[in-house]
Amino acid sequence: MSAVEVLRLPLTVDLSGFIALLRRLEVPYRVSEESGEQVLWVPGPQLAEQVRGLYERYPDGDPHFQLSEDTPKEAPRAGLLAQLKARPITSLVLLLTLVVAGLTNLGDNFSVIRWLSFQDFEIQGDFIYFLPVADGLEAGQWWRLVSPMLIHFGILHLAMNAMWFWELGRRIESRQGGLMLLALTLGFSLVSDVAQFFSSGPTLFGGLSGVLYGLLGHCWVFQRLAPCPAYRLPPGVMAMMLVWLLVCLSGLITALGFGAIANGAHVGGLVAGCATGLIGGALARLRR
């Protein structure tokens, strides 16, 4: 049976992980160098199509051994419980968010919210009085810098943010690991909270949306510099989120009576995410 060309890639692309996967699956192959490019060959067109599909899903190999050692076929989709166990940091953040939603009664229990808000506050009649940020930090309440991400106001606010964190968080955890996802989540929360405070002054705000814009920017820029299947978002997602950001910045959502939008947190998170994606993507590209 004649050899069929599967992939033709620049010499700078690291194929070692994918080659190791082919060896583990006992797929016959050979790699040649032609005109400054590396070419992967396999016997037969049917196997070539299978290997192309495999490379689209696992260009860096299969470090988590999701595939069996039989044939390069589609791996069965894991159940929800298995997916939660496989992405512990993503699951932990979502669990904490749900617990806080219950304790705060989705934003109605101010006696709990005051311990998680960016600034401590007191309610006197119809007015809310915020204590200086420095007072909380001097008292050792450093968690306030990131804890607002766990506060949500309403079931729709919670559902949308939880859905997007599950979608983006598990992508990053599968590609860069749980510790990286945790660092990015806390870092984006810190940046977005500080940005919101400086843009709006003493106000009560919360939610994962600033973190989500950070994760989105991270995946988007990282993918452009070092393409990988995990960060390949569905077409139009980035455009939709940017349009939504512009609509929120215009003040239309607030004018329609849907409540105040934490625009400072969104912009701060997005800028921070693009910066980390630029650094991470550039380093991944150099490694390749």
Side-chain angles (χ1 to χ4, degrees), residues 144-218:
R144 292 186 182 277
L145 297 175
V146 296
S147 58
M149 72 176 182
L150 301 174
I151 305 172
H152 287 83
F153 304 96
I155 189 64
L156 184 60
H157 187 208
L158 172 66
M160 292 299 294
N161 281 355
M163 179 189 71
W164 276 107
F165 189 83
W166 171 251
E167 181 63 33
L168 296 171
R170 63 194 179 105
R171 290 172 182 265
I172 293 175
E173 190 166 4
S174 65
R175 175 63 177 81
Q176 294 183 269
L179 290 179
M180 177 59 72
L181 173 62
L182 181 61
L184 292 175
T185 299
L186 295 177
F188 295 153
S189 181
L190 172 62
V191 171
S192 60
D193 290 346
V194 171
Q196 181 60 36
F197 174 74
F198 278 104
S199 66
S200 64
T203 54
L204 184 58
F205 58 87
L208 275 167
S209 52
V211 173
L212 295 177
Y213 268 101
L215 299 180
L216 185 69
H218 179 84

Side-chain angles (χ1 to χ4, degrees), residues 21 23-27 65-72:
L21 174 59
R23 289 174 180 166
R24 181 161 60 85
L25 296 176
E26 298 182 357
V27 176
F65 290 86
Q66 300 176 59
L67 294 175
S68 67
E69 297 188 6
D70 299 328
T71 57

Side-chain angles (χ1 to χ4, degrees), residues 47-124:
L47 184 58
E49 286 299 319
Q50 289 181 317
V51 173
R52 286 193 193 99
L54 191 66
Y55 182 76
E56 290 179 0
R57 297 172 56 219
Y58 300 98
D60 299 321
D62 183 24
H64 302 293
F65 290 86
Q66 300 176 59
L67 294 175
S68 67
E69 297 188 6
D70 299 328
T71 57
K73 58 186 179 182
E74 289 287 326
R77 185 177 294 274
L80 177 59
L81 184 59
Q83 292 185 54
L84 291 173
K85 289 182 178 179
R87 307 290 181 264
I89 299 301
T90 306
S91 303
L92 177 61
V93 173
L94 290 177
L95 177 61
L96 288 175
T97 303
L98 293 175
V99 169
V100 169
L103 293 175
T104 61
N105 194 21
L106 288 173
D108 289 335
N109 189 346
F110 289 100
S111 62
V112 176
I113 290 176
R114 62 170 296 189
W115 288 102
L116 299 172
S117 58
F118 192 75
Q119 297 171 266
D120 193 7
F121 59 84
E122 297 176 354
I123 296 179
Q124 299 179 11

Side-chain angles (χ1 to χ4, degrees), residues 6 22-23 25-30 40-44 47 51 72:
V6 180
L22 293 181
R23 289 174 180 166
L25 296 176
E26 298 182 357
V27 176
Y29 74 93
R30 70 179 176 89
L40 176 65
W41 307 81
V42 298
L47 184 58
V51 173

